[in-house]
Amino acid sequence: MPRLLGVDIPNDKPTLISLQYLYGVGERVAAELCHKAGIDPGRRARDLTEDEVARLAVLAERDYTVEGPLRRLVAQNINRLRDIKCYRGIRHRLGLPVRGQRTRTNARTRKGPKKTVAGKKGVKDLR
């Protein structure tokens, strides 16, 4: 299993697909990396030589922001929004959807499991 920038990329998949296991590398960047390194994108990752893996690592580190530096950059951007207390920063801080989605229903991924509120049924009985 080749190791690229601290990530094990899968053996049995084509190089184009395997490179996408790196954070910040999508289909387009993976294709560009293969082209620049002179590697056939359809070749299996297990067939790559040590030299080719090293070439891919150098190209990815030099020409693109991937893995650790990209994760750090994203975290810094979110912390900046939180610090200046803008709307998006407040949403991040409260753990609510940031991009304008509704929260009356749905939004369970951000809000977590339902917290049932007791006492709603008793309102009708007061008549």
Side-chain angles (χ1 to χ4, degrees):
M1 191 172 269
R3 195 161 175 80
L4 204 61
L5 302 175
V7 177
D8 290 330
I9 59 174
N11 272 332
D12 301 331
K13 298 190 179 187
T15 307
L16 184 72
I17 305 300
S18 292
L19 287 174
Q20 293 178 38
Y21 279 71
L22 296 171
Y23 185 76
V25 176
E27 191 173 351
R28 194 189 105 242
V29 173
E32 286 175 12
L33 280 171
C34 287
H35 178 73
K36 287 179 183 177
I39 296 170
D40 175 31
R43 213 163 100 206
R44 302 283 171 186
R46 72 162 100 61
D47 299 334
L48 294 175
T49 63
E50 290 297 320
D51 179 49
E52 291 170 332
V53 172
R55 234 181 316 154
L56 282 170
V58 168
L59 281 169
E61 193 119 44
R62 187 185 67 202
D63 297 345
Y64 301 99
T65 307
V66 291
E67 275 307 316
L70 182 59
R71 289 180 199 272
R72 217 172 359 270
L73 183 67
V74 170
Q76 286 172 351
N77 288 339
I78 292 171
N79 285 332
R80 178 181 52 82
L81 293 172
R82 292 171 118 184
D83 292 343
I84 64 174
K85 294 190 173 108
C86 68
Y87 181 78
R88 282 172 54 202
I90 292 167
R91 303 297 280 185
H92 273 291
R93 184 170 290 188
L94 295 175
L96 293 169
V98 177
R99 297 184 178 180
Q101 298 93 328
R102 69 176 310 161
T103 57
R104 183 172 181 175
T105 60
N106 305 330
R108 292 276 52 118
T109 300
R110 290 292 301 201
K111 291 168 72 174
K114 284 186 179 177
K115 299 168 211 79
T116 306
V117 178
K120 293 233 176 180
K121 289 183 182 173
V123 175
K124 286 188 254 176
D125 298 335
L126 294 175
R127 284 203 269 168

